Structure formats: C-alpha cells, structure tokens
Amino acid sequence: MISLRKINTLLIIVIVLMLLNHAVLSLLYLYGIISYSPDFQITGRRLFYPVVAHIIISMYLYFKDKSRGVNRYPNLISDTTQQLISGIMIIVFVSLHILGYSFNPLGEQSTFNFSLYHFIVDTLMFVSIAVHLRVSIPKFMISLGFLENKDEHVNFKRKVNWAVLIILIVLILGEVMYYVGGALW
C-alpha cells in the first residue's frame, strides 16, 4: 500500500511541474516575449486542487507526527518549521495574488498603487515559495529513497538552494522589468 508521505511526494511533483508551467508563462509575459493569455489564469486555477490536497495531507502528517513524538529526520526540525511557516505564508500571498489580479488583471491599465501592490505581493509570494521548495525538494527526495546518507542530503540541498535562488532572482527581475520598465515607458 502506498503511504500518505509518498502520495504527498507525488502531489509535490505535480505541483512543482504545474507551478513551473505557470511561472514560465508569466515570465515570458513579464519579459515581453509573449502577449497576455487566459492560460495564465487557467494554469493558476489548475494548481488549486493539488495544492489543497497537499496542504491537508501535510497538516495531517505534521500533527500526527507531533502527537506521537515522531521525528523521522532529527536534524531537520528547523527545516520543518520553515516549511510550516512558509506554507502558511504561501496561502496568504497566493490569496492576495489572486485577489489583486481579480481587481486589476494583467494586460489592463494599472495604477501606481495596483502595480506596487502586485509587485510586493508577487515578490513575497515568490520568496515564500522559494523557502518552501528549498526544504521540500530535498525532503521528498528522502521520501522517495534517493538520498540515503547525510552527505547526499547536504550536497543535494546545497544544489537545490542555488537553483531556487537563481529562479527567485529571475522571477523578481521579471517583476522589476514589468512594473518599473512599464512605468518608465
């Protein structure tokens, strides 16, 4: 029988792939390479159900392990705390992201206040997702059995941190170019 941790790991893979699709489309738009498409909203909406399932399973496993005093990864307590806090922040900023783009969608004329709102909320959302992924990706690699010893985990985590940082910088630069560049033109 497949465990909830493995199901959650598979959900993470689906979410990451869908999130990358959404991010790439958005980046191409922000950098001015493609024009606005309703696919942005559609890919964002498709993320909803896997993310909700991931949240429910993660919270269940977190509280189940807490109540039993189980700590499968003794050196990852701070990572688990980061994961929990960043997960909550993702929910907050994604909600604000959706709300903001409901009132002032991409591709429409925007006031300075809405542009600033979008920039701040999106940047904080990107940072929250980056912090969450830098912990989640190595942990799901452990869950799948790919990282068995401490050195493998540390080396993989370092690589994930760099990859997430580079992606974060590219996303924030896209936001800067779109909102600051748009204000200058």
Side-chain angles (χ1 to χ4, degrees):
M1 175 165 215
I2 208 164
S3 72
L4 273 179
R5 288 190 199 287
K6 297 247 190 285
I7 292 170
N8 207 23
T9 299
L10 294 174
L11 278 171
I12 293 167
I13 293 169
V14 169
I15 291 167
V16 166
L17 292 174
M18 292 173 75
L19 190 59
L20 281 172
N21 179 41
H22 187 66
V24 167
L25 286 175
S26 298
L27 270 176
L28 292 173
Y29 174 74
L30 291 174
Y31 281 108
I33 296 170
I34 64 172
S35 60
Y36 178 77
S37 168
D39 288 344
F40 300 158
Q41 290 178 353
I42 293 167
T43 57
R45 287 180 188 149
R46 287 185 182 145
L47 276 165
F48 179 77
Y49 295 109
V51 167
V52 168
H54 168 64
I55 291 168
I56 292 168
I57 293 170
S58 295
M59 295 304 290
Y60 171 77
L61 291 171
Y62 177 80
F63 288 115
K64 179 181 167 190
D65 288 349
K66 261 308 202 203
S67 69
R68 290 188 334 194
V70 172
N71 189 5
R72 295 179 64 186
Y73 312 108
N75 297 327
L76 300 178
I77 294 171
S78 68
D79 283 351
T80 303
T81 304
Q82 284 179 34
Q83 209 173 13
L84 179 65
I85 292 170
S86 63
I88 293 167
M89 298 311 294
I90 289 168
I91 294 168
V92 169
F93 292 121
V94 165
S95 299
L96 292 172
H97 172 80
I98 292 167
L99 185 66
Y101 285 107
S102 297
F103 287 118
N104 186 238
L106 276 176
E108 291 186 12
Q109 188 64 24
S110 185
T111 66
F112 173 77
N113 290 338
F114 262 117
S115 293
L116 183 62
Y117 172 86
H118 287 311
F119 177 76
I120 291 170
V121 167
D122 288 356
T123 300
L124 291 172
M125 180 181 66
F126 297 153
V127 169
S128 300
I129 292 170
V131 168
H132 198 75
L133 288 177
R134 68 166 284 286
V135 174
S136 297
I137 293 172
K139 283 177 76 174
F140 83 64
M141 294 300 281
I142 290 171
S143 293
L144 291 175
F146 291 118
L147 303 175
E148 295 186 10
N149 66 45
K150 185 178 179 179
D151 291 337
E152 287 177 335
H153 177 261
V154 171
N155 290 335
F156 185 76
K157 188 173 178 181
R158 187 177 305 115
K159 291 174 186 173
V160 167
N161 286 341
W162 278 107
V164 166
L165 179 62
I166 291 167
I167 292 168
L168 181 62
I169 290 168
V170 170
L171 288 168
I172 292 172
L173 284 175
E175 290 276 313
V176 168
M177 286 183 62
Y178 182 78
Y179 289 112
V180 175
L184 297 176
W185 314 130

